Amino acid sequence: MKTIAILLISLCSMVSFGQTQNEGDIVINKTQEDDTYHAGETIRTNAVVQGDLVIAGGNLTVNDSINGDLTAAGGELFLNSYVADDVRIAVGRAIIDSEIGDDLIVFGGEVTITENAKIHGNLKCFAGNIKMNGEVVGKLEVKGADILINGVVQKTSKIIGEDITIGSNAKFHNAVEFWNSDKEIDFKNSLVNTKAQFNEDLGKEQSELSLTTYGTRSLSSWLKYILTAFLGILVFHALFKHAFTQAVESFENKWLKSFGFGLVYLIGIPLIIIFTLLITIGISLGLFAAAIFIFSLLFGQLIAAILLAYYVKYKKDMNWGFWNVTFIALGFLLLMRLLTTIPYVGIAVSIVILAITYGALTLAVIRSKKQRVTS
């Protein structure tokens, strides 16, 4: 049961990727000079990517260097080459056998970090089965069911799991906090001039990990969330398909402008609402505006996922129909859902996503009105 939920996520992703008309099995054999986006049943990267690489599919393999970030979602990922910046992964099974220049964030059913792997930033791993045999230059934070640490960690460590094993090659060079049901771990000779301490408070985090330990309750939660999200995407996509198509044009070379307009929306609207509520004749208008604003926040990620799916379609000139876009948007929504669960970073990601989304939609409305005036 440990990997059911993440495999369910992967299945939803693969359904959408398998339905793309232009891309099924993808092999990248030529150097990519810019950011690269691909969705397919099988994706194999055998050439250098000079920018970021964003891939999603059933079977993902990276065999050459990426000079930016790697973001991946799907069934399986095999990372066999250098990544210069951050790596963010949501897959059923991941094998990391490479050097990573900055942070590694992994959500998965089964995650293996080999003895050849070296992570120069922090490692955050939320999975069912975790095997960490490499080196982490930064901090270690792992949460799961079955955990094996048999590598080197230079900075502080936080380990939360049901069954935690420390291997003979493990070395911790800084303080270690842990929680498991037995309240003790045999660290052998792994502690280098430091101490390990059981932290009861970490047990609360463990009890909140139903979406990352993949038990029965997590499966039910994910099923409800996926079904609800799918219906929401379906409704919004059907009602506002034309608006999303127009808004995508605001993305092209206008990311900062969209972000700026979005911040005005996120900050300015609440100020207007407060002002109208302070005026007696404006109370009704203020309450109505507040309801709409709260609605936009609640469904912000859902709208962003559809917009992102249309952007990839537009950017890659894909021949995706209504259902293709709908399923791919669901995959993006699940990935964003996972990313935004990360403390602090998740809040920042949410703000950026909402700002760019509503900024792009605002620019689309402005452009549409200008076209009507000129016509």
Side-chain angles (χ1 to χ4, degrees), residues 18-55:
Q19 294 187 28
T20 58
Q21 298 177 11
N22 287 355
E23 300 193 14
D25 294 344
I26 302 167
V27 180
I28 303 173
N29 287 323
K30 295 182 179 179
T31 298
Q32 306 295 299
E33 300 295 340
D34 204 345
D35 295 341
T36 303
Y37 307 85
H38 283 293
E41 189 68 29
T42 300
I43 302 175
R44 185 178 296 272
T45 305
N46 297 327
V48 175
V49 178
Q50 298 292 0
D52 297 338
L53 176 63
V54 180
I55 51 176

PDB file of all heavy atoms in Angstrom, residues 18-55:
ATOM      1  N   GLY A  18      -0.044   9.678 -22.789  1.00  0.00           N
ATOM      2  CA  GLY A  18      -0.245   8.674 -23.816  1.00  0.00           C
ATOM      3  C   GLY A  18      -1.228   9.125 -24.879  1.00  0.00           C
ATOM      4  O   GLY A  18      -1.241   8.585 -25.980  1.00  0.00           O
ATOM      5  N   GLN A  19      -2.049  10.142 -24.578  1.00  0.00           N
ATOM      6  CA  GLN A  19      -3.038  10.594 -25.526  1.00  0.00           C
ATOM      7  C   GLN A  19      -2.541  11.726 -26.403  1.00  0.00           C
ATOM      8  O   GLN A  19      -3.263  12.184 -27.273  1.00  0.00           O
ATOM      9  CB  GLN A  19      -4.301  11.058 -24.794  1.00  0.00           C
ATOM     10  CG  GLN A  19      -5.017   9.916 -24.086  1.00  0.00           C
ATOM     11  CD  GLN A  19      -6.336  10.365 -23.518  1.00  0.00           C
ATOM     12  OE1 GLN A  19      -6.979  11.269 -23.993  1.00  0.00           O
ATOM     13  NE2 GLN A  19      -6.749   9.714 -22.458  1.00  0.00           N
ATOM     14  N   THR A  20      -1.328  12.226 -26.195  1.00  0.00           N
ATOM     15  CA  THR A  20      -0.823  13.269 -27.052  1.00  0.00           C
ATOM     16  C   THR A  20      -0.643  12.728 -28.458  1.00  0.00           C
ATOM     17  O   THR A  20      -0.202  11.619 -28.661  1.00  0.00           O
ATOM     18  CB  THR A  20       0.535  13.803 -26.538  1.00  0.00           C
ATOM     19  OG1 THR A  20       1.453  12.722 -26.477  1.00  0.00           O
ATOM     20  CG2 THR A  20       0.386  14.428 -25.172  1.00  0.00           C
ATOM     21  N   GLN A  21      -0.955  13.549 -29.448  1.00  0.00           N
ATOM     22  CA  GLN A  21      -0.975  13.084 -30.816  1.00  0.00           C
ATOM     23  C   GLN A  21       0.383  13.199 -31.478  1.00  0.00           C
ATOM     24  O   GLN A  21       0.697  12.445 -32.398  1.00  0.00           O
ATOM     25  CB  GLN A  21      -2.015  13.879 -31.611  1.00  0.00           C
ATOM     26  CG  GLN A  21      -3.428  13.678 -31.072  1.00  0.00           C
ATOM     27  CD  GLN A  21      -4.437  14.526 -31.802  1.00  0.00           C
ATOM     28  OE1 GLN A  21      -4.136  15.117 -32.829  1.00  0.00           O
ATOM     29  NE2 GLN A  21      -5.644  14.593 -31.287  1.00  0.00           N
ATOM     30  N   ASN A  22       1.193  14.159 -31.070  1.00  0.00           N
ATOM     31  CA  ASN A  22       2.466  14.389 -31.750  1.00  0.00           C
ATOM     32  C   ASN A  22       3.631  13.697 -31.083  1.00  0.00           C
ATOM     33  O   ASN A  22       4.660  13.464 -31.704  1.00  0.00           O
ATOM     34  CB  ASN A  22       2.755  15.900 -31.818  1.00  0.00           C
ATOM     35  CG  ASN A  22       1.874  16.597 -32.826  1.00  0.00           C
ATOM     36  OD1 ASN A  22       1.119  15.954 -33.542  1.00  0.00           O
ATOM     37  ND2 ASN A  22       1.968  17.914 -32.880  1.00  0.00           N
ATOM     38  N   GLU A  23       3.528  13.409 -29.799  1.00  0.00           N
ATOM     39  CA  GLU A  23       4.671  12.895 -29.081  1.00  0.00           C
ATOM     40  C   GLU A  23       4.279  11.663 -28.278  1.00  0.00           C
ATOM     41  O   GLU A  23       3.414  11.715 -27.428  1.00  0.00           O
ATOM     42  CB  GLU A  23       5.242  13.970 -28.141  1.00  0.00           C
ATOM     43  CG  GLU A  23       5.698  15.209 -28.888  1.00  0.00           C
ATOM     44  CD  GLU A  23       6.531  16.123 -28.016  1.00  0.00           C
ATOM     45  OE1 GLU A  23       6.964  15.680 -26.946  1.00  0.00           O
ATOM     46  OE2 GLU A  23       6.755  17.269 -28.418  1.00  0.00           O
ATOM     47  N   GLY A  24       4.935  10.525 -28.574  1.00  0.00           N
ATOM     48  CA  GLY A  24       4.729   9.311 -27.812  1.00  0.00           C
ATOM     49  C   GLY A  24       6.039   8.946 -27.155  1.00  0.00           C
ATOM     50  O   GLY A  24       6.287   9.268 -26.012  1.00  0.00           O
ATOM     51  N   ASP A  25       6.918   8.276 -27.922  1.00  0.00           N
ATOM     52  CA  ASP A  25       8.271   7.997 -27.464  1.00  0.00           C
ATOM     53  C   ASP A  25       9.179   9.102 -27.979  1.00  0.00           C
ATOM     54  O   ASP A  25       9.267   9.351 -29.186  1.00  0.00           O
ATOM     55  CB  ASP A  25       8.729   6.636 -27.995  1.00  0.00           C
ATOM     56  CG  ASP A  25       7.915   5.500 -27.392  1.00  0.00           C
ATOM     57  OD1 ASP A  25       7.248   5.740 -26.372  1.00  0.00           O
ATOM     58  OD2 ASP A  25       7.936   4.398 -27.943  1.00  0.00           O
ATOM     59  N   ILE A  26       9.874   9.758 -27.052  1.00  0.00           N
ATOM     60  CA  ILE A  26      10.691  10.920 -27.406  1.00  0.00           C
ATOM     61  C   ILE A  26      12.135  10.650 -27.047  1.00  0.00           C
ATOM     62  O   ILE A  26      12.439  10.234 -25.922  1.00  0.00           O
ATOM     63  CB  ILE A  26      10.201  12.180 -26.655  1.00  0.00           C
ATOM     64  CG1 ILE A  26       8.727  12.456 -26.992  1.00  0.00           C
ATOM     65  CG2 ILE A  26      11.066  13.386 -26.988  1.00  0.00           C
ATOM     66  CD1 ILE A  26       8.088  13.458 -26.077  1.00  0.00           C
ATOM     67  N   VAL A  27      13.033  10.899 -27.999  1.00  0.00           N
ATOM     68  CA  VAL A  27      14.469  10.775 -27.758  1.00  0.00           C
ATOM     69  C   VAL A  27      15.114  12.103 -28.128  1.00  0.00           C
ATOM     70  O   VAL A  27      14.982  12.572 -29.263  1.00  0.00           O
ATOM     71  CB  VAL A  27      15.094   9.633 -28.582  1.00  0.00           C
ATOM     72  CG1 VAL A  27      16.592   9.546 -28.302  1.00  0.00           C
ATOM     73  CG2 VAL A  27      14.412   8.311 -28.269  1.00  0.00           C
ATOM     74  N   ILE A  28      15.797  12.717 -27.184  1.00  0.00           N
ATOM     75  CA  ILE A  28      16.484  13.991 -27.427  1.00  0.00           C
ATOM     76  C   ILE A  28      17.956  13.691 -27.690  1.00  0.00           C
ATOM     77  O   ILE A  28      18.701  13.359 -26.764  1.00  0.00           O
ATOM     78  CB  ILE A  28      16.323  14.938 -26.224  1.00  0.00           C
ATOM     79  CG1 ILE A  28      14.834  15.176 -25.940  1.00  0.00           C
ATOM     80  CG2 ILE A  28      17.037  16.266 -26.481  1.00  0.00           C
ATOM     81  CD1 ILE A  28      14.563  15.960 -24.671  1.00  0.00           C
ATOM     82  N   ASN A  29      18.357  13.807 -28.943  1.00  0.00           N
ATOM     83  CA  ASN A  29      19.733  13.486 -29.336  1.00  0.00           C
ATOM     84  C   ASN A  29      20.541  14.711 -29.747  1.00  0.00           C
ATOM     85  O   ASN A  29      21.727  14.598 -30.041  1.00  0.00           O
ATOM     86  CB  ASN A  29      19.733  12.488 -30.490  1.00  0.00           C
ATOM     87  CG  ASN A  29      19.324  11.089 -30.047  1.00  0.00           C
ATOM     88  OD1 ASN A  29      19.679  10.650 -28.954  1.00  0.00           O
ATOM     89  ND2 ASN A  29      18.561  10.395 -30.880  1.00  0.00           N
ATOM     90  N   LYS A  30      19.895  15.889 -29.798  1.00  0.00           N
ATOM     91  CA  LYS A  30      20.576  17.118 -30.182  1.00  0.00           C
ATOM     92  C   LYS A  30      20.583  18.088 -29.009  1.00  0.00           C
ATOM     93  O   LYS A  30      19.621  18.152 -28.242  1.00  0.00           O
ATOM     94  CB  LYS A  30      19.886  17.760 -31.392  1.00  0.00           C
ATOM     95  CG  LYS A  30      19.971  16.926 -32.669  1.00  0.00           C
ATOM     96  CD  LYS A  30      19.312  17.658 -33.822  1.00  0.00           C
ATOM     97  CE  LYS A  30      19.406  16.833 -35.111  1.00  0.00           C
ATOM     98  NZ  LYS A  30      18.753  17.531 -36.253  1.00  0.00           N
ATOM     99  N   THR A  31      21.645  18.860 -28.891  1.00  0.00           N
ATOM    100  CA  THR A  31      21.763  19.843 -27.820  1.00  0.00           C
ATOM    101  C   THR A  31      20.594  20.815 -27.855  1.00  0.00           C
ATOM    102  O   THR A  31      20.236  21.346 -28.914  1.00  0.00           O
ATOM    103  CB  THR A  31      23.080  20.626 -27.947  1.00  0.00           C
ATOM    104  OG1 THR A  31      24.178  19.720 -27.828  1.00  0.00           O
ATOM    105  CG2 THR A  31      23.198  21.687 -26.859  1.00  0.00           C
ATOM    106  N   GLN A  32      19.965  21.034 -26.702  1.00  0.00           N
ATOM    107  CA  GLN A  32      18.856  21.971 -26.572  1.00  0.00           C
ATOM    108  C   GLN A  32      19.403  23.297 -26.047  1.00  0.00           C
ATOM    109  O   GLN A  32      19.950  23.357 -24.955  1.00  0.00           O
ATOM    110  CB  GLN A  32      17.800  21.414 -25.621  1.00  0.00           C
ATOM    111  CG  GLN A  32      17.299  20.022 -25.983  1.00  0.00           C
ATOM    112  CD  GLN A  32      16.555  19.994 -27.283  1.00  0.00           C
ATOM    113  OE1 GLN A  32      15.520  20.655 -27.435  1.00  0.00           O
ATOM    114  NE2 GLN A  32      17.048  19.221 -28.239  1.00  0.00           N
ATOM    115  N   GLU A  33      19.235  24.361 -26.846  1.00  0.00           N
ATOM    116  CA  GLU A  33      19.849  25.643 -26.513  1.00  0.00           C
ATOM    117  C   GLU A  33      19.036  26.461 -25.520  1.00  0.00           C
ATOM    118  O   GLU A  33      19.504  27.485 -25.033  1.00  0.00           O
ATOM    119  CB  GLU A  33      20.059  26.469 -27.791  1.00  0.00           C
ATOM    120  CG  GLU A  33      20.969  25.805 -28.819  1.00  0.00           C
ATOM    121  CD  GLU A  33      22.403  25.638 -28.318  1.00  0.00           C
ATOM    122  OE1 GLU A  33      22.789  26.352 -27.361  1.00  0.00           O
ATOM    123  OE2 GLU A  33      23.125  24.791 -28.880  1.00  0.00           O
ATOM    124  N   ASP A  34      17.817  26.035 -25.222  1.00  0.00           N
ATOM    125  CA  ASP A  34      16.942  26.813 -24.342  1.00  0.00           C
ATOM    126  C   ASP A  34      16.177  25.864 -23.420  1.00  0.00           C
ATOM    127  O   ASP A  34      16.427  24.665 -23.407  1.00  0.00           O
ATOM    128  CB  ASP A  34      15.966  27.636 -25.194  1.00  0.00           C
ATOM    129  CG  ASP A  34      15.455  28.871 -24.452  1.00  0.00           C
ATOM    130  OD1 ASP A  34      15.623  28.936 -23.219  1.00  0.00           O
ATOM    131  OD2 ASP A  34      14.882  29.762 -25.110  1.00  0.00           O
ATOM    132  N   ASP A  35      15.243  26.419 -22.670  1.00  0.00           N
ATOM    133  CA  ASP A  35      14.391  25.585 -21.833  1.00  0.00           C
ATOM    134  C   ASP A  35      13.630  24.589 -22.709  1.00  0.00           C
ATOM    135  O   ASP A  35      13.190  24.924 -23.810  1.00  0.00           O
ATOM    136  CB  ASP A  35      13.390  26.443 -21.060  1.00  0.00           C
ATOM    137  CG  ASP A  35      14.071  27.376 -20.058  1.00  0.00           C
ATOM    138  OD1 ASP A  35      15.235  27.108 -19.708  1.00  0.00           O
ATOM    139  OD2 ASP A  35      13.438  28.350 -19.642  1.00  0.00           O
ATOM    140  N   THR A  36      13.459  23.369 -22.184  1.00  0.00           N
ATOM    141  CA  THR A  36      12.864  22.294 -22.986  1.00  0.00           C
ATOM    142  C   THR A  36      11.718  21.655 -22.228  1.00  0.00           C
ATOM    143  O   THR A  36      11.848  21.336 -21.040  1.00  0.00           O
ATOM    144  CB  THR A  36      13.927  21.229 -23.314  1.00  0.00           C
ATOM    145  OG1 THR A  36      15.022  21.859 -24.005  1.00  0.00           O
ATOM    146  CG2 THR A  36      13.355  20.132 -24.192  1.00  0.00           C
ATOM    147  N   TYR A  37      10.584  21.449 -22.921  1.00  0.00           N
ATOM    148  CA  TYR A  37       9.386  20.866 -22.329  1.00  0.00           C
ATOM    149  C   TYR A  37       8.934  19.678 -23.184  1.00  0.00           C
ATOM    150  O   TYR A  37       8.794  19.810 -24.403  1.00  0.00           O
ATOM    151  CB  TYR A  37       8.242  21.886 -22.257  1.00  0.00           C
ATOM    152  CG  TYR A  37       8.599  23.186 -21.587  1.00  0.00           C
ATOM    153  CD1 TYR A  37       9.209  24.220 -22.292  1.00  0.00           C
ATOM    154  CD2 TYR A  37       8.336  23.385 -20.240  1.00  0.00           C
ATOM    155  CE1 TYR A  37       9.535  25.418 -21.680  1.00  0.00           C
ATOM    156  CE2 TYR A  37       8.650  24.582 -19.610  1.00  0.00           C
ATOM    157  CZ  TYR A  37       9.258  25.590 -20.344  1.00  0.00           C
ATOM    158  OH  TYR A  37       9.579  26.775 -19.734  1.00  0.00           O
ATOM    159  N   HIS A  38       8.707  18.547 -22.549  1.00  0.00           N
ATOM    160  CA  HIS A  38       8.231  17.385 -23.291  1.00  0.00           C
ATOM    161  C   HIS A  38       7.279  16.558 -22.443  1.00  0.00           C
ATOM    162  O   HIS A  38       7.461  16.406 -21.235  1.00  0.00           O
ATOM    163  CB  HIS A  38       9.391  16.491 -23.732  1.00  0.00           C
ATOM    164  CG  HIS A  38      10.146  17.017 -24.913  1.00  0.00           C
ATOM    165  ND1 HIS A  38       9.585  17.101 -26.172  1.00  0.00           N
ATOM    166  CD2 HIS A  38      11.414  17.490 -25.027  1.00  0.00           C
ATOM    167  CE1 HIS A  38      10.486  17.599 -27.009  1.00  0.00           C
ATOM    168  NE2 HIS A  38      11.592  17.853 -26.340  1.00  0.00           N
ATOM    169  N   ALA A  39       6.259  15.998 -23.097  1.00  0.00           N
ATOM    170  CA  ALA A  39       5.352  15.045 -22.471  1.00  0.00           C
ATOM    171  C   ALA A  39       5.183  13.876 -23.420  1.00  0.00           C
ATOM    172  O   ALA A  39       4.882  14.062 -24.594  1.00  0.00           O
ATOM    173  CB  ALA A  39       4.000  15.694 -22.185  1.00  0.00           C
ATOM    174  N   GLY A  40       5.406  12.666 -22.941  1.00  0.00           N
ATOM    175  CA  GLY A  40       5.294  11.493 -23.796  1.00  0.00           C
ATOM    176  C   GLY A  40       5.281  10.222 -22.975  1.00  0.00           C
ATOM    177  O   GLY A  40       5.530  10.238 -21.769  1.00  0.00           O
ATOM    178  N   GLU A  41       4.995   9.110 -23.638  1.00  0.00           N
ATOM    179  CA  GLU A  41       4.977   7.826 -22.944  1.00  0.00           C
ATOM    180  C   GLU A  41       6.363   7.486 -22.413  1.00  0.00           C
ATOM    181  O   GLU A  41       6.540   7.089 -21.267  1.00  0.00           O
ATOM    182  CB  GLU A  41       4.482   6.736 -23.896  1.00  0.00           C
ATOM    183  CG  GLU A  41       4.211   5.407 -23.230  1.00  0.00           C
ATOM    184  CD  GLU A  41       3.030   5.467 -22.281  1.00  0.00           C
ATOM    185  OE1 GLU A  41       2.117   6.284 -22.514  1.00  0.00           O
ATOM    186  OE2 GLU A  41       3.028   4.727 -21.290  1.00  0.00           O
ATOM    187  N   THR A  42       7.374   7.638 -23.275  1.00  0.00           N
ATOM    188  CA  THR A  42       8.766   7.390 -22.892  1.00  0.00           C
ATOM    189  C   THR A  42       9.609   8.567 -23.353  1.00  0.00           C
ATOM    190  O   THR A  42       9.512   8.990 -24.508  1.00  0.00           O
ATOM    191  CB  THR A  42       9.299   6.097 -23.536  1.00  0.00           C
ATOM    192  OG1 THR A  42       8.509   4.995 -23.100  1.00  0.00           O
ATOM    193  CG2 THR A  42      10.755   5.857 -23.155  1.00  0.00           C
ATOM    194  N   ILE A  43      10.430   9.110 -22.464  1.00  0.00           N
ATOM    195  CA  ILE A  43      11.300  10.235 -22.811  1.00  0.00           C
ATOM    196  C   ILE A  43      12.723   9.887 -22.402  1.00  0.00           C
ATOM    197  O   ILE A  43      12.975   9.545 -21.250  1.00  0.00           O
ATOM    198  CB  ILE A  43      10.860  11.533 -22.114  1.00  0.00           C
ATOM    199  CG1 ILE A  43       9.414  11.875 -22.494  1.00  0.00           C
ATOM    200  CG2 ILE A  43      11.793  12.686 -22.485  1.00  0.00           C
ATOM    201  CD1 ILE A  43       8.858  13.080 -21.763  1.00  0.00           C
ATOM    202  N   ARG A  44      13.636  10.003 -23.365  1.00  0.00           N
ATOM    203  CA  ARG A  44      15.051   9.723 -23.101  1.00  0.00           C
ATOM    204  C   ARG A  44      15.875  10.927 -23.554  1.00  0.00           C
ATOM    205  O   ARG A  44      15.823  11.321 -24.718  1.00  0.00           O
ATOM    206  CB  ARG A  44      15.495   8.472 -23.849  1.00  0.00           C
ATOM    207  CG  ARG A  44      16.936   8.037 -23.538  1.00  0.00           C
ATOM    208  CD  ARG A  44      17.284   6.753 -24.293  1.00  0.00           C
ATOM    209  NE  ARG A  44      16.454   5.656 -23.839  1.00  0.00           N
ATOM    210  CZ  ARG A  44      16.765   4.873 -22.802  1.00  0.00           C
ATOM    211  NH1 ARG A  44      17.891   5.079 -22.129  1.00  0.00           N
ATOM    212  NH2 ARG A  44      15.968   3.897 -22.454  1.00  0.00           N
ATOM    213  N   THR A  45      16.615  11.507 -22.622  1.00  0.00           N
ATOM    214  CA  THR A  45      17.446  12.674 -22.927  1.00  0.00           C
ATOM    215  C   THR A  45      18.899  12.239 -23.041  1.00  0.00           C
ATOM    216  O   THR A  45      19.532  11.875 -22.039  1.00  0.00           O
ATOM    217  CB  THR A  45      17.299  13.748 -21.824  1.00  0.00           C
ATOM    218  OG1 THR A  45      15.917  14.074 -21.668  1.00  0.00           O
ATOM    219  CG2 THR A  45      18.068  14.999 -22.181  1.00  0.00           C
ATOM    220  N   ASN A  46      19.432  12.280 -24.274  1.00  0.00           N
ATOM    221  CA  ASN A  46      20.805  11.848 -24.539  1.00  0.00           C
ATOM    222  C   ASN A  46      21.700  12.998 -24.963  1.00  0.00           C
ATOM    223  O   ASN A  46      22.821  12.757 -25.445  1.00  0.00           O
ATOM    224  CB  ASN A  46      20.812  10.777 -25.642  1.00  0.00           C
ATOM    225  CG  ASN A  46      20.075   9.518 -25.225  1.00  0.00           C
ATOM    226  OD1 ASN A  46      20.067   9.138 -24.062  1.00  0.00           O
ATOM    227  ND2 ASN A  46      19.425   8.861 -26.179  1.00  0.00           N
ATOM    228  N   ALA A  47      21.233  14.230 -24.829  1.00  0.00           N
ATOM    229  CA  ALA A  47      22.010  15.396 -25.235  1.00  0.00           C
ATOM    230  C   ALA A  47      21.917  16.471 -24.168  1.00  0.00           C
ATOM    231  O   ALA A  47      21.013  16.457 -23.316  1.00  0.00           O
ATOM    232  CB  ALA A  47      21.511  15.922 -26.581  1.00  0.00           C
ATOM    233  N   VAL A  48      22.834  17.425 -24.221  1.00  0.00           N
ATOM    234  CA  VAL A  48      22.892  18.503 -23.236  1.00  0.00           C
ATOM    235  C   VAL A  48      21.686  19.423 -23.387  1.00  0.00           C
ATOM    236  O   VAL A  48      21.280  19.774 -24.495  1.00  0.00           O
ATOM    237  CB  VAL A  48      24.192  19.315 -23.407  1.00  0.00           C
ATOM    238  CG1 VAL A  48      24.200  20.530 -22.467  1.00  0.00           C
ATOM    239  CG2 VAL A  48      25.396  18.443 -23.153  1.00  0.00           C
ATOM    240  N   VAL A  49      21.107  19.822 -22.258  1.00  0.00           N
ATOM    241  CA  VAL A  49      20.048  20.833 -22.224  1.00  0.00           C
ATOM    242  C   VAL A  49      20.640  22.076 -21.571  1.00  0.00           C
ATOM    243  O   VAL A  49      21.014  22.041 -20.397  1.00  0.00           O
ATOM    244  CB  VAL A  49      18.813  20.348 -21.441  1.00  0.00           C
ATOM    245  CG1 VAL A  49      17.760  21.441 -21.374  1.00  0.00           C
ATOM    246  CG2 VAL A  49      18.234  19.087 -22.080  1.00  0.00           C
ATOM    247  N   GLN A  50      20.726  23.169 -22.331  1.00  0.00           N
ATOM    248  CA  GLN A  50      21.381  24.370 -21.827  1.00  0.00           C
ATOM    249  C   GLN A  50      20.539  25.124 -20.798  1.00  0.00           C
ATOM    250  O   GLN A  50      21.076  25.854 -19.972  1.00  0.00           O
ATOM    251  CB  GLN A  50      21.718  25.309 -22.997  1.00  0.00           C
ATOM    252  CG  GLN A  50      22.681  24.727 -24.014  1.00  0.00           C
ATOM    253  CD  GLN A  50      24.083  24.530 -23.459  1.00  0.00           C
ATOM    254  OE1 GLN A  50      24.360  24.828 -22.291  1.00  0.00           O
ATOM    255  NE2 GLN A  50      24.985  24.028 -24.283  1.00  0.00           N
ATOM    256  N   GLY A  51      19.216  24.946 -20.841  1.00  0.00           N
ATOM    257  CA  GLY A  51      18.342  25.605 -19.884  1.00  0.00           C
ATOM    258  C   GLY A  51      17.699  24.611 -18.942  1.00  0.00           C
ATOM    259  O   GLY A  51      18.307  23.601 -18.567  1.00  0.00           O
ATOM    260  N   ASP A  52      16.440  24.878 -18.583  1.00  0.00           N
ATOM    261  CA  ASP A  52      15.680  23.961 -17.727  1.00  0.00           C
ATOM    262  C   ASP A  52      15.090  22.830 -18.566  1.00  0.00           C
ATOM    263  O   ASP A  52      14.813  23.002 -19.754  1.00  0.00           O
ATOM    264  CB  ASP A  52      14.535  24.698 -17.030  1.00  0.00           C
ATOM    265  CG  ASP A  52      15.025  25.796 -16.093  1.00  0.00           C
ATOM    266  OD1 ASP A  52      16.201  25.725 -15.670  1.00  0.00           O
ATOM    267  OD2 ASP A  52      14.239  26.709 -15.805  1.00  0.00           O
ATOM    268  N   LEU A  53      14.879  21.693 -17.925  1.00  0.00           N
ATOM    269  CA  LEU A  53      14.208  20.570 -18.570  1.00  0.00           C
ATOM    270  C   LEU A  53      12.970  20.215 -17.756  1.00  0.00           C
ATOM    271  O   LEU A  53      13.074  19.930 -16.558  1.00  0.00           O
ATOM    272  CB  LEU A  53      15.129  19.359 -18.678  1.00  0.00           C
ATOM    273  CG  LEU A  53      14.508  18.078 -19.262  1.00  0.00           C
ATOM    274  CD1 LEU A  53      14.071  18.306 -20.704  1.00  0.00           C
ATOM    275  CD2 LEU A  53      15.473  16.895 -19.172  1.00  0.00           C
ATOM    276  N   VAL A  54      11.807  20.232 -18.399  1.00  0.00           N
ATOM    277  CA  VAL A  54      10.550  19.846 -17.771  1.00  0.00           C
ATOM    278  C   VAL A  54       9.982  18.677 -18.565  1.00  0.00           C
ATOM    279  O   VAL A  54       9.684  18.817 -19.754  1.00  0.00           O
ATOM    280  CB  VAL A  54       9.533  21.010 -17.756  1.00  0.00           C
ATOM    281  CG1 VAL A  54       8.232  20.573 -17.104  1.00  0.00           C
ATOM    282  CG2 VAL A  54      10.116  22.215 -17.029  1.00  0.00           C
ATOM    283  N   ILE A  55       9.854  17.525 -17.923  1.00  0.00           N
ATOM    284  CA  ILE A  55       9.392  16.328 -18.621  1.00  0.00           C
ATOM    285  C   ILE A  55       8.334  15.614 -17.793  1.00  0.00           C
ATOM    286  O   ILE A  55       8.347  15.674 -16.564  1.00  0.00           O
ATOM    287  CB  ILE A  55      10.548  15.352 -18.934  1.00  0.00           C
ATOM    288  CG1 ILE A  55      11.373  15.058 -17.670  1.00  0.00           C
ATOM    289  CG2 ILE A  55      11.410  15.885 -20.058  1.00  0.00           C
ATOM    290  CD1 ILE A  55      12.476  14.033 -17.881  1.00  0.00           C
TER     291      ILE A  55
END
